[in-house]
């Protein structure tokens, strides 16, 4: 490990670090624009110049590797003069528009110009103007502000894997440009975060608020099963934006576009009061008492086997626990959290977790993707897979749909026939890759499990993991990639059919033949509602949720709940990590936190739940499963037997996510997501400003 001296202080650092990184370790701040910890080194801006002993001129610290005996100075007159000159040069064409820039108050350029810049400019000529570029409905461009740091180019190429942004021309005519179409990436919103000068800003958030107006709350995203760490910015009750929060093991410092921009759906199509279907078949607003009375009267005298409950994809652990306890008190065993019909085996934790962990992907040396499109189902997991691919010696095989994953792969086949062949060792060249791999992994998606033969597919995948040494000491390469944020938490709670209980297929059958007379839907909107029958003819449907989506349309009683930004709640992501979402704003109207609704309902039906506050509910969670005590940790799962051997249907595997931007009630209510569907699915380009 080389030793070097920085501003008179000797420090020992790891070999391979840059001088800039060594300075940061020594507690010395180095200004930069083009350098980013997660991107390749460009050395464009020269803002990071420092003085090195025996060097004829200042050096770019971001591109200079450390060496034994280096003497670095960061606070000399030469360094200050160099930084002043660089800043003056970078600001030659930058407009003086700080008051109207959406980056105002959060701008790296502002901060560094104040700290390291010069107080005047010698440039007296006319500033140049650069034509705005179209980057889609999520990104607004003001390219005259651009300083050609190329962060956006490197992010799009390296992280997102879409080579649609580049630098053209030279000298004064250099400019960042695109292919004049929307940036086709699920991670494009992160371009706004990496831009240090306000050339790229958020189009949906343009001129909405200033950062000092906003209340900032740390929380968790629930629009997929990754559990990205986010910051929710609110003004009053309204969520104005969602930003990423650093978590190296989950989302690093990125979030998906749906996570970032679907937040406008939180204020649209909301359920804000209880509703009851009247004699004319119309829903009318009622009080909580009337709604509870109607439910109690309908459930009174019903045999437990004639009642069923289904938990949806966005539910928190507290509400699912309360519903399970209520139904158990009534003797109901028809409980289901797998509303898509996925044949997951709740008896073995290793059979439904992403056991490798998201960060653990970087340790793998081969991956087999089965019935999944991770680019749409979990964009941050796909980004990790691409990151590992870029490091080299990482073979990827795909069984399922042929889609652009942003990295090359071996396409093995479309369905179970190929899966069986791989299980038997007949996977061709990719089977050889798995055999040679020291840490192979597989990713099993809902496209392979949400089928009638899902249990057999699960058993076959387990056989593949065991055959190719994916499970061993210190390594578990068997992974299930969920699409629902609530799914793992529900399985940990045992929100599955009890003894003699019906699964999702059985509940559908019961609704059709009349053996299920009451159905409780906790945020369940992804069902086949055609199989439930029309209101007044099928079962009595109680819907508890926060949006007027498909479940509310079929309901006989609606109980308005809270969205994920409106409650303190617990979620478990696809790798089994328990995380806490925090209340950023209160639910609208008469809507309430979901567990409190069920607590109040339990008294109306004569099965009072034994908790009165959130602390007691969470204590009950821990009693049910000790996993909930380990917040932000992963409890490794013991390997066991799961799945059920059987015949495989030859139908190909198809990802359950058909339209990335509309997968849940929140995103379906979002105008921004609707614009994304227009831009990316329908090819509609909206004109903006004078360029329309």
């Amino acid at each position: 490990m080389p030793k070097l001296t920085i501003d008179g202080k000797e420090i020992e650092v790891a070999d391979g670090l840059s001088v800039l990184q060594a300075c940061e370790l020594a507690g010395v701040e180095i200004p930069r624009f083009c350098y980013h910890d997660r991107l390749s080194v460009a050395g464009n801006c020269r803002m990071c110049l420092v003085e090195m002993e025996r060097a004829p001129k200042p050096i770019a610290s971001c591109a200079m590797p450390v060496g034994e005996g280096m003497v670095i100075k960061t606070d000399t007159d030469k360094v200050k003069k160099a930084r002043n000159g660089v800043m003056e040069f970078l600001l030659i064409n930058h407009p003086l528009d700080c008051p109207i820039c959406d980056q105002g108050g959060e701008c790296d350029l502002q901060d560094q110009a104040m700290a390291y810049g010069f107080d005047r400019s010698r440039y007296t000529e006319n500033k140049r103007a650069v034509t705005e570029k179209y980057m889609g409905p999520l990104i607004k461009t003001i390219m005259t502000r651009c300083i050609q740091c190329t962060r956006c180019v490197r992010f799009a190429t390296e992280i997102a894997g879409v080579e649609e942004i580049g630098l053209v021309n030279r000298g004064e005519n250099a400019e960042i440009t695109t292919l004049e179409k929307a940036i086709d990436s699920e991670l494009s919103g992160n371009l706004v975060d990496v831009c240090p000068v306000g050339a790229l800003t958020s189009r949906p958030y343009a001129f909405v608020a200033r950062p000092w107006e906003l209340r900032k709350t740390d929380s968790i995203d629930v629009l997929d099963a990754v559990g990205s760490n986010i910051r929710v910015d609110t003004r009053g009750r309204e969520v104005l934006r969602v930003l990423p929060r650093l978590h190296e093991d989950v989302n690093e410092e990125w979030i998906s576009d749906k996570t970032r921009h679907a937040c406008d759906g939180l204020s649209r199509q909301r359920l804000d009061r209880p509703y009851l279907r009247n004699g004319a078949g119309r829903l009318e607003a009622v009080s909580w008492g009337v709604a509870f009375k109607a439910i109690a009267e309908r459930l009174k005298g019903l045999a437990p086997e004639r009642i069923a409950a289904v938990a949806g994809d966005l539910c928190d652990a507290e509400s699912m626990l309360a519903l399970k306890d209520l139904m158990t008190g009534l003797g109901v065993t028809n409980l289901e959290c797998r509303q898509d019909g996925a044949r997951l085996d709740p008896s073995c934790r290793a059979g439904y977790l992403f056991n490798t962990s998201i960060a653990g992907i970087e340790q793998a040396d081969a991956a087999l993707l089965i019935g999944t499109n991770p680019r749409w189902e979990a964009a941050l997991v796909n980004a990790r897979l691409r990151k590992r691919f870029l490091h080299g010696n990482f073979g990827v095989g795909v069984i399922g749909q042929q889609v652009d994953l942003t990295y090359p792969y071996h396409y093995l086949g479309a369905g179970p026939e190929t899966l069986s062949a791989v299980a038997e060792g007949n996977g061709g060249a990719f089977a050889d890759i798995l055999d040679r791999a020291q840490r192979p992994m597989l990713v099993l998606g809902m496209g392979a499990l949400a089928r009638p033969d899902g249990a057999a597919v699960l058993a076959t995948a387990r056989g593949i993991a065991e055959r190719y040494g994916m499970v061993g000491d210190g390594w578990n390469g068997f992974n299930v990639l969920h699409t629902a944020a609530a799914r793992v938490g529900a399985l940990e709670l045992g929100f599955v059919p009890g003894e003699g209980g019906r699964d999702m297929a059985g509940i559908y059958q019961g609704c059709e033949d009349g053996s299920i007379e009451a159905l409780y839907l906790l945020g369940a909107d992804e069902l086949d509602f055609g199989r439930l029958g029309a209101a007044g003819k099928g079962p009595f449907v109680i819907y508890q949720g926060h949006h007027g989506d498909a479940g509310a349309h079929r309901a006989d009683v609606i109980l308005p709940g809270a969205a994920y930004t409106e409650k303190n709640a617990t979620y478990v992501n696809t790798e089994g990590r328990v995380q806490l979402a925090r209340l950023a704003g209160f639910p609208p109207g008469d809507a309430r936190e979901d567990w409190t609704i069920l607590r109040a309902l339990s008294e109306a039906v004569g099965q009072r739940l034994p908790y009165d506050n959130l602390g007691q509910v969470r204590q009950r969670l821990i009693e049910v499963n000790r996993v909930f005590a380990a917040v932000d940790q992963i409890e490794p799962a013991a390997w066991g037997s799961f799945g059920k051997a059987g015949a495989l249907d030859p139908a190909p595997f198809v990802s359950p996510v058909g339209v990335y931007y509309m997968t849940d009630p929140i995103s379906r209510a979002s105008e921004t997501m609707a614009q994304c569907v227009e831009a990316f699915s329908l090819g509609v380009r909206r004109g903006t400003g004078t360029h329309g």
Side-chain angles (χ1 to χ4, degrees), residues 33 87 97-99 101 103-116 196-197:
F33 289 113
M87 183 66 73
D97 63 347
C98 289
C101 178
Q103 288 285 84
E106 299 174 318
C107 180
D108 292 342
L109 180 62
Q110 275 186 337
D111 296 340
Q112 296 196 45
M114 290 294 294
Y116 305 103
V197 296

Side-chain angles (χ1 to χ4, degrees), residues 44-256:
N44 289 344
C45 72
R46 321 306 287 183
M47 196 64 204
C48 65
L49 293 175
V50 297
E51 189 177 351
M52 183 174 72
E53 198 172 77
R54 297 190 299 275
K57 59 183 181 179
I59 64 166
S61 60
C62 68
M64 176 64 73
V66 296
E68 183 67 36
M70 273 185 172
V71 179
I72 303 296
K73 298 177 182 177
T74 69
D75 57 355
T76 64
D77 289 339
K78 181 187 279 188
V79 171
K80 291 178 183 177
K81 186 177 179 181
R83 289 173 179 173
N84 286 342
V86 168
M87 183 66 73
E88 185 181 358
F89 175 74
L90 292 176
L91 295 179
I92 280 179
N93 289 305
H94 195 92
L96 300 175
D97 63 347
C98 289
I100 64 167
C101 178
D102 266 349
Q103 288 285 84
E106 299 174 318
C107 180
D108 292 342
L109 180 62
Q110 275 186 337
D111 296 340
Q112 296 196 45
M114 290 294 294
Y116 305 103
F118 199 47
D119 62 348
R120 67 188 68 92
S121 173
R122 291 164 288 180
Y123 186 79
T124 59
E125 290 76 16
N126 292 328
K127 295 188 177 225
R128 74 164 186 167
V130 182
T131 306
E132 313 301 5
K133 307 297 186 294
Y134 177 73
M135 292 191 180
L138 303 180
I139 302 172
K140 180 181 176 133
T141 63
I142 306 91
M143 300 310 295
T144 304
R145 298 174 185 160
C146 179
I147 62 170
Q148 289 88 46
C149 72
T150 69
R151 278 190 182 184
C152 56
V153 178
R154 286 173 284 147
F155 176 86
T157 304
E158 298 165 14
I159 308 296
V162 290
E163 299 180 358
E164 297 178 2
I165 308 176
L167 183 71
V168 298
N169 302 326
R170 301 184 66 181
E172 187 184 359
N173 296 317
E175 60 180 283
I176 300 292
T177 189
T178 68
L179 300 175
E180 287 299 313
K181 67 182 187 70
I183 304 298
D184 191 7
S185 170
E186 298 72 34
L187 301 174
S188 65
N190 295 288
L191 292 168
V192 175
D193 292 340
V194 301
C195 179
V197 296
L200 305 178
T201 59
S202 172
R203 188 179 295 278
Y205 182 69
F207 310 119
V208 171
R210 292 297 194 186
W212 51 85
E213 301 175 49
L214 305 176
R215 181 173 177 264
K216 303 166 180 65
T217 307
D218 291 346
S219 193
I220 301 296
D221 171 56
V222 302
L223 301 187
D224 58 29
V226 174
S228 299
N229 286 233
I230 58 174
R231 193 188 84 194
V232 181
D233 287 1
T234 57
R235 184 171 61 191
R237 285 187 172 180
E238 189 177 4
V239 176
L240 296 185
R241 66 176 180 177
V242 172
L243 296 177
R245 201 158 43 90
L246 180 67
H247 197 304
E248 293 290 354
D249 293 334
V250 181
N251 58 301
E252 298 182 290
E253 61 185 81
W254 320 120
I255 54 174
S256 70

